Amino acid sequence: ARTKLSLIKKKMLGKLKRIFTQNAPAPIGPYSQAILADGTLYISGQVALNPKTGKMIQDSIEDETAMVMENVKAVLSEAGMGFDNVVKSSIFLSDLNNFVKVNGVYGKYFGEHLPARECIQAVRLPKDANVEISVIAVKPKIQLVAFHF
């Protein structure tokens, strides 16, 4: 039984792929920017760290949200996906009074595509961020269909 379980575990781990891009901030702890598992991409929470300078962008909540979304976009792109692949977003705000402003920026990245989502207020976020966003995206499996006439 132990060998069988070990074999199953190896097969499962073999399907996981760590995603990393220089175009988003490097993780600030023991985690990955994202993990791709069987066509589903799990992106860790992104804050407004500018990947080029390593500095937080906090001039305004709109600028901060835009930097967060650009970081999410960079990780999605590295995995060969875009915002139209996102099925779920989680938004964490230090102040829920910023909801409308964050929503305005967030919505521009998704357009008509509206993934499932929650938005909560957190007491404190990493790097004293005002907004953190994580997403789950799915790459549809392409199925070839042959037609015979």
Side-chain angles (χ1 to χ4, degrees):
R2 181 171 235 171
T3 306
K4 192 174 187 179
L5 182 61
S6 178
L7 190 60
I8 290 169
K9 193 174 182 182
K10 282 182 183 177
K11 283 185 178 184
M12 287 176 61
L13 290 174
K15 294 181 182 182
L16 300 180
K17 179 181 178 188
R18 185 179 301 169
I19 303 297
F20 178 82
T21 176
Q22 299 278 345
N23 298 320
I28 57 175
Y31 61 90
S32 300
Q33 285 176 331
I35 294 290
L36 183 63
D38 282 336
T40 301
L41 183 68
Y42 301 88
I43 298 181
S44 295
Q46 296 295 308
V47 295
L49 271 173
N50 182 319
K52 292 181 175 90
T53 66
K55 296 185 190 250
M56 287 290 290
I57 304 298
Q58 292 180 307
D59 301 327
S60 69
I61 192 67
E62 293 90 349
D63 289 347
E64 188 171 348
T65 304
M67 185 78 255
V68 170
M69 295 301 287
E70 287 298 318
N71 290 339
V72 170
K73 181 179 175 182
V75 179
L76 284 166
S77 179
E78 184 67 24
M81 297 189 201
F83 284 105
D84 56 335
N85 294 103
V86 175
V87 295
K88 176 80 167 37
S89 296
S90 298
I91 301 176
F92 305 91
L93 299 176
S94 63
D95 183 351
L96 214 47
N97 290 316
N98 288 323
F99 178 81
V100 172
K101 291 177 181 178
V102 169
N103 221 25
V105 176
Y106 171 93
K108 289 176 185 174
Y109 283 83
F110 285 101
E112 295 297 313
H113 175 66
L114 304 173
R117 178 183 97 176
E118 71 264 334
C119 180
I120 65 164
Q121 180 171 315
V123 173
R124 191 168 181 205
L125 297 169
K127 297 282 189 184
D128 289 320
N130 295 303
V131 60
E132 179 177 2
I133 299 174
S134 63
V135 303
I136 299 171
V138 176
K139 189 177 241 181
K141 293 181 179 165
I142 298 172
Q143 187 174 15
L144 298 177
V145 179
F147 293 96
H148 300 281
F149 296 96

